[in-house]
Amino acid sequence: MSAHLTIDPHFTVGAIDRRVFGGFVEHLGRHVYDGIYEPGHEAADAEGFRQDVIELVKELGVSTIRYPGGNFVSGFRWEDSVGPKEERPRRLDLAWHSTETNEIGLHEFSSWLEKVGSDLMLAVNLGTRGTLEALDLLEYANIAGGTALSQRRIDNGKTDAFGVKMWCLGNEMDGPWQLGHRSADDYGKIASQTAKAMRQLDPSIQLVACGSSSAHMPTFGEWERVVLTHTYDDVDYISCHAYYEEKNGDLDSFLASAVDMDRFIESVVATADHVKAVVGSEKTIDISFDEWNVWYIDRYHGVDKIEGIDNWPVAPRLLEDLYSVADAVVFGNLMISLLKHADRVTSASLAQLVNVIAPIMTEPGGPAWRQTTFFPFSITSRLAKGVALEVKLESPTHETEVYGVVPQVDAVATHDVEAGESAVFLVNRSRTEAMTVTIDVSALGAVQLRSADTLADDDVYAKNTLEAPERVAPAANTTASLAGGTLTIELPPVSWTAVALGA
């Protein structure tokens, strides 16, 4: 079977904001403790951070990291996480039914971010706390000195301000599972009040209002409309969250998950622009897709979930999904979806980074390794620069139970005019048919094929595990050829491919 693409650098979607390659670290399971932080490990540095994990996060190419949650933040008291470690209280984390030791807090995490080369994106607790506590944290983090809270930061060892530029106004406040869950009207009011107050303190910050935690929430759409009606002139972003999993053996629908992400983004954009017109604003609200991934939520509820009034473990094994080739293909397709909407999705956070639904896994006292999903993220983060291009795609289609008729091939291209570099990212969603894709790249001028990496396997459920950490990896330079302005790529069934072109 065959498909055809046309790439022209004149037809742009929008500039690619590096923050779209962001990540997410939550105090959840073994993400922080036994993940990024394991003082007794042979690879630990002087601060207890695993250097093997640091190197993998750097290889992943994560720009901005959202912290400390997630559901965790709605019960979090930020003051617990600063000051001498021996004086920090142990608290019960109601979100994940665990005990939080507060060994790692704002100062330690900021130090880790410097090691991995990422920027900090902070979430404030609008679940069990409110405007005053958000202001206190902002003053502690961003005011250079001369106040009680800035002096407290200095006394705690950080002379310079953290200078956090991007802040989330709570987390998933539309969800009944969330501590402090509110209606859209009530959340919109407190988000507006908090945003106005935070901007009085630091006008330079960017603020993210909570959108829907899923496009399948019963309040989706109306939630965005009401929240943005309250906050439109106070915030810069509305958030989107989406997770996908294969259900009931329906691989065809799972492989088409990005169709749902496309619709989700376009619906939120339409709602935001509707509110813009109604309130008569001149600015445009962008999307922070600050939670996205493949997550087997049904397995969490059936296997992992912790219960019992006397059962509050520290760093339990939670949400440690092992990802297959099929998962990685869907994951790569979700990245394609984000890039296809680069004009409005200018920030995104892969949830999460280590052990917890993560591209990186570790074993206490043992190795760290790359999951299958590591590769689409690291390669796309490295190659996707400049602007996203609007490709013209002709592809066969097939029927799916959940999403109806979908293209078998999905694709996006990027172009960096200054560097003279371009990239093409493709997926073949077919379970059975290989696909020959021809791409007209003549409008790019004289270019050469620099690399082609394909992630595929005869066993679409093959995984990288502790016992076989390198079972799956991309195959390089085996799928593409370039001649006469036509790039030809052979896509195996259930595959993700990245191609780099240069002058």
Side-chain angles (χ1 to χ4, degrees), residues 9 16 18 382-389 413-423 444 450 501-503:
I16 299 168
R18 294 305 302 173
R382 175 168 52 86
L383 296 181
K385 301 176 182 176
V387 297
L389 301 180
T414 64
H415 180 64
D416 185 345
V417 64
E418 293 184 1
E421 298 173 345
S422 302
L444 296 175
R450 291 188 172 177
L501 304 168

Side-chain angles (χ1 to χ4, degrees), residues 135 138 143 193-205:
L135 281 173
L138 178 59
I143 298 301
Q193 292 167 0
T194 304
K196 286 182 171 70
M198 293 177 74
R199 287 202 191 280
Q200 282 184 254
L201 192 92
D202 185 350
S204 71
I205 60 175

Side-chain angles (χ1 to χ4, degrees), residues 250 252-253 256 259 263 397-407 429:
D250 185 1
D252 283 333
S253 294
V259 171
R263 294 171 182 170
T397 61
H398 63 243
E399 182 80 27
T400 65
E401 182 177 344
V402 176
Y403 304 115
V405 177
V406 303
R429 295 166 171 162

Side-chain angles (χ1 to χ4, degrees), residues 30 176 181 189 225 286 334 382 406:
R30 294 194 310 118
H181 162 63
K189 290 175 182 176
R225 185 193 68 79
D286 282 343
L334 298 177
R382 175 168 52 86
V406 303

Side-chain angles (χ1 to χ4, degrees), residues 204-250:
S204 71
I205 60 175
Q206 291 187 303
L207 297 171
V208 185
C210 288
S212 294
S213 52
S214 165
H216 307 289
M217 292 293 289
T219 54
F220 172 60
E222 182 65 3
W223 174 275
E224 280 75 8
R225 185 193 68 79
V226 173
V227 168
L228 285 175
T229 299
H230 284 290
T231 64
Y232 197 93
D233 287 325
D234 303 318
V235 302
D236 305 282
Y237 289 90
I238 186 80
S239 72
C240 292
H241 291 181
Y243 295 100
Y244 299 95
E245 63 180 309
E246 181 181 345
K247 294 188 176 185
N248 304 316
D250 185 1

Side-chain angles (χ1 to χ4, degrees), residues 245-247 295-305 317-323 355-357 463:
E245 63 180 309
E246 181 181 345
K247 294 188 176 185
W295 176 16
Y296 286 86
I297 302 175
D298 289 350
R299 190 186 70 82
Y300 163 69
H301 287 290
V303 178
D304 284 355
K305 192 171 183 179
R317 290 182 182 263
L318 289 175
L319 282 61
E320 297 193 12
D321 289 346
L322 294 179
Y323 290 124
N355 288 331
V356 174
I357 53 173
K463 303 173 181 180

Side-chain angles (χ1 to χ4, degrees), residues 435-441 449 479-483 485-491 499:
M435 193 73 61
T436 300
V437 182
T438 56
I439 306 176
D440 182 351
V441 297
L449 176 61
T479 62
S481 61
L482 177 62
T486 299
L487 175 65
T488 303
I489 306 173
E490 301 296 334
L491 302 182
V499 179

